[in-house]
């Protein structure tokens, strides 16, 4: 590749302008590019560039606790973005890039909704209709302020107190960010009576954030942040608001403290953690008994509509995967039957080698029956249908096994689970929080067997990535069948074949399992495929 002739410094400068999907693709293209992408030095620079911050590191982002729904929502948005822009399928990339991509998406969505209130009443997920800016600096083009100082402080607050995102995703009365001081009449009383000690006469507010949430028990949980040149103040408390008489009073002063701009994240967390957790106790941030990752103000119907549109997109991905699987598996079945790989004793060898069991996973069985438009009786008495069933099932189970951890990571979360089940129908419709875990447990027991899920419960990014790897896996399965039927299963696969296979797999984010050089590699290769990953930074 010509790009490899460029000096590492030039490559790093190019990579700083890519999103995490493009970075993941570059890392898969060549080991030397992977060494650059997954170096701690580059990821630190990448975080600083994409977040427009002078101090943040990859470790700061990756060590942050991010709730599952936000990562799930990031992947849904990413798959939609790739389709809207006509790009390829999702690259299921390294955990570091996933965490960085998720955090950046969360932070940008939070800033955009605060600075552009119209986003609170739009479908903030819909890439084509309401695209989010790619970088933080693009968000701040709306205000004329010394942006680096503001962003440095905002990011420190956001990382130190991630509960702020939960507050913002709740039912809101007010959510505003602006250059200068607070502009809401409701917050005047906080500025005058809530902040102790009083704001100094010389305090010049460069940027402010105001959050007031829907009342619980008659109190409105509220947050005010005022950022000055050298220090900033955080106030947390509850207001009592009479909208009829336009009167406001402070019910609870939970927390108020001045912080210097050089304050460490750990100190911010230590000082304000208990107060913001107490404040979160007053917050109703559930939709259908599941924590919601969508900022939609007090218009819950907008969140419901956004989720509905995302589910519509997800169903389209399910149909796309069906078509891809059917296309390549039917080609495989035609090839192996034409070449008579399945005749006589070969059938027994193949069944034994791949451990085919008709009753192993009922959910995947039913999925294959629907694709083939047949039933068990037809499969047992029709040789062609029988082989079709085994080929489809073999590929499906291998993909389900590869993505098993990622799928389970999503479906055991209440929001993600209700989203995926909502794409199927009313199988799982939680209406109260008391029995959510029991309902999920029951639903999972019906949809999972041997730790594997059918594509009905695969999240969007898994479906998209699966579309890319199906052609490669069917090609490997065909080669396995050819080797198994033409020679003994003890046949040693030449290194050249292994290298070719690894190159094809790597393009889709996979690789063959590690094996000592002294230990020969024998078929079937399909069972030796795993995801390529960089477990630690260089």
């Amino acid at each position: 590749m010509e790009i490899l002739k460029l000096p590492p410094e030039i490559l790093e400068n190019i990579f700083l302008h890519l999103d995490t999907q493009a970075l993941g693709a570059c890392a898969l293209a060549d080991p030397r590019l992977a060494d650059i992408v997954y170096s701690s030095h580059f990821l630190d620079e990448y975080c600083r560039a994409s977040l427009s911050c002078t101090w943040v590191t990859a470790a700061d982002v990756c060590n942050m606790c991010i709730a599952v729904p936000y990562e799930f929502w990031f992947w849904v948005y990413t798959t939609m973005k790739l389709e809207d822009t006509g790009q390829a399928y999702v690259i299921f990339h390294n955990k570091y890039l996933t965490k960085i991509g998720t955090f950046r998406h969360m932070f940008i969505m939070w800033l955009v909704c605060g600075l552009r209130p119209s986003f609170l009443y739009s479908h903030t997920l819909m890439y084509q209709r309401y695209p989010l800016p790619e970088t933080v600096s693009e968000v701040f083009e709306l205000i004329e302020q010394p942006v680096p100082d503001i962003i440095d402080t905002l990011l420190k607050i956001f990382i130190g107190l991630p509960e702020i995102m939960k507050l913002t995703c709740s039912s809101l009365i007010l959510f505003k960010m602006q250059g200068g001081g607070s502009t809401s009449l409701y917050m005047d009383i906080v500025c005058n009576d809530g902040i102790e000690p009083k704001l100094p006469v010389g305090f010049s507010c460069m940027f402010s954030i105001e959050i007031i949430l829907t009342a619980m028990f008659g109190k409105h949980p509220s947050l005010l942040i005022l950022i000055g040149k050298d220090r900033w103040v955080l106030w947390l408390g509850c207001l009592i608001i009479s909208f009829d008489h336009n009167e406001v009073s402070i019910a609870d002063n939970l927390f108020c403290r001045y912080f210097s701009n050089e304050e460490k994240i750990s100190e911010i967390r230590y000082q304000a953690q208990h107060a913001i957790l107490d404040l979160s106790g007053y917050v109703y941030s559930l939709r259908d008994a599941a924590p919601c990752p969508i900022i939609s103000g007090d218009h819950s119907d907008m969140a419901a509509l956004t989720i509905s549109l995302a589910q519509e997109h997800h169903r389209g991905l399910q149909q796309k995967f069906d078509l891809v699987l059917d296309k390549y598996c039917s080609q495989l079945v035609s090839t192996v039957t034409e070449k008579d790989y399945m005749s006589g004793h070969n059938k027994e060898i193949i069944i034994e080698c791949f451990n085919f069991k008709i009753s192993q996973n009922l959910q995947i069985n039913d999925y294959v029956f629907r694709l083939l438009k047949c039933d068990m009786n037809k499969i047992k008495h029709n040789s062609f249908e029988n082989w079709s069933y085994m080929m489809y099932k073999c590929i499906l189970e291998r993909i389900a096994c590869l993505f098993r951890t990622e799928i389970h990571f999503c479906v055991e979360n209440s929001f993600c689970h209700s989203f995926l089940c909502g794409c199927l129908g009313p199988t799982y419709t939680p209406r109260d929080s008391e029995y959510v875990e029991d309902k999920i447990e029951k639903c999972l027991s019906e949809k999972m067997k041997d730790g594997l899920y059918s594509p009905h419960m695969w999240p969007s990014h898994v479906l998209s990535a699966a579309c890319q790897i199906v052609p490669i896996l069917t090609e490997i399965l065909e080669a396995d069948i050819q080797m198994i039927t033409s020679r003994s299963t003890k046949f040693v696969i030449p290194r050249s074949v292994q290298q070719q296979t690894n190159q094809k797999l790597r393009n889709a984010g996979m690789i063959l399992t590690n094996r000592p050089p002294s230990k020969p590699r024998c078929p079937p290769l399909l069972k030796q495929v795993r995801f390529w990953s960089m477990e630690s930074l260089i």
Side-chain angles (χ1 to χ4, degrees), residues 17-37:
H17 297 85
L18 304 179
D19 61 17
T20 53
Q21 273 294 294
L23 282 179
C26 290
L28 294 174
D30 189 270
R32 287 166 288 182
L33 298 181
D35 289 343
I36 294 176
V37 170

Side-chain angles (χ1 to χ4, degrees), residues 240-253:
I240 296 177
I241 303 176
S242 173
F243 294 100
D244 294 335
H245 301 89
N246 203 26
E247 295 178 351
V248 184
S249 62
I250 299 175
D252 296 303
N253 254 326

Side-chain angles (χ1 to χ4, degrees), residues 229-510:
K229 183 178 181 181
D230 301 314
R231 55 181 169 169
W232 56 278
V233 60
L234 169 65
W235 178 88
L236 301 169
C238 293
L239 302 177
I240 296 177
I241 303 176
S242 173
F243 294 100
D244 294 335
H245 301 89
N246 203 26
E247 295 178 351
V248 184
S249 62
I250 299 175
D252 296 303
N253 254 326
L254 296 177
F255 181 85
C256 183
R257 190 177 189 278
Y258 287 85
F259 294 90
S260 71
N261 288 350
E262 289 74 34
E263 203 88 52
K264 294 182 179 180
I265 294 174
S266 58
E267 182 64 19
I268 297 172
R269 183 73 181 163
Y270 174 76
Q271 295 290 341
Q273 178 182 10
H274 294 296
I276 200 166
L277 287 175
D278 289 343
L279 190 68
S280 299
Y282 288 95
V283 174
Y284 185 74
S285 63
L286 305 180
R287 302 190 193 280
D288 289 337
C292 182
I294 303 171
I295 302 176
S296 59
D298 59 342
H299 291 257
S300 59
D301 56 331
M302 293 304 299
L305 179 57
T306 300
I307 291 172
S308 177
L309 289 169
Q311 288 173 328
E312 182 181 340
H313 167 258
H314 185 83
R315 293 187 194 98
L317 273 176
Q318 289 176 325
Q319 295 172 0
K320 187 175 184 178
F321 175 74
D322 286 355
L323 293 173
V324 171
L325 181 69
D326 189 50
K327 173 185 176 181
Y328 287 95
C329 284
S330 60
Q331 290 176 359
L332 172 62
V333 172
S334 298
T335 300
V336 296
T337 51
E338 286 175 6
K339 296 183 178 180
D340 204 25
Y341 288 139
M342 306 294 195
S343 61
H345 184 58
N346 289 343
K347 180 177 180 179
E348 296 178 7
I349 296 175
I350 293 172
I351 291 176
E352 180 181 356
C353 187
F354 288 98
N355 193 26
F356 288 118
K357 293 180 181 178
I358 289 180
S359 61
Q360 188 173 12
N361 191 302
L362 296 178
Q363 291 295 322
I364 290 182
N365 286 349
D366 293 341
Y367 190 88
V368 176
F369 292 158
R370 182 181 61 81
L371 279 180
L372 296 177
K373 299 177 182 178
C374 64
D375 54 27
M376 185 62 70
N377 186 57
K378 188 175 181 181
I379 285 174
K380 288 181 178 180
H381 296 90
N382 185 303
S383 178
F384 182 82
E385 297 291 351
N386 185 269
W387 286 117
S388 297
Y389 166 80
M390 287 195 292
M391 297 299 102
Y392 279 71
K393 189 167 184 276
C394 187
I395 295 296
L396 268 177
E397 289 188 345
R398 191 63 203 139
I399 297 174
C401 186
L402 284 169
F403 287 102
R404 177 170 48 197
T405 301
E406 183 67 15
I407 297 169
H408 194 68
F409 173 76
C410 293
V411 299
E412 69 178 358
N413 175 268
S414 55
F415 172 81
C416 308
H417 193 110
S418 60
F419 177 95
L420 294 170
C421 277
C423 295
L424 301 176
T427 307
Y428 169 72
T429 52
R431 296 300 175 191
D432 59 339
S433 58
E434 185 176 0
Y435 302 108
V436 168
E437 291 185 1
D438 293 337
K439 290 180 179 180
I440 291 179
E441 190 76 26
K442 181 180 178 181
C443 190
L444 289 179
S445 66
E446 296 171 353
K447 291 182 170 64
M448 181 180 72
K449 183 78 173 176
D450 301 323
L452 302 181
Y453 298 86
S454 81
H456 289 131
M457 293 300 290
W458 295 358
S460 299
H461 61 292
V462 171
L463 283 170
S464 181
C467 288
Q468 184 182 23
I469 68 177
V470 163
I472 300 168
L473 294 184
T474 52
E475 185 178 338
I476 291 175
L477 179 55
E478 180 183 350
D480 279 338
I481 293 173
Q482 184 178 6
M483 286 187 287
I484 291 169
T485 55
S486 62
R487 304 197 184 193
S488 164
T489 54
K490 299 299 182 181
F491 171 69
V492 176
I493 302 174
R495 289 192 179 276
S496 59
V497 174
Q498 295 181 44
Q499 291 173 354
Q500 292 173 3
T501 303
N502 262 332
Q503 184 57 53
K504 293 176 183 178
L505 287 171
R506 185 165 177 132
N507 291 336
M510 299 178 293

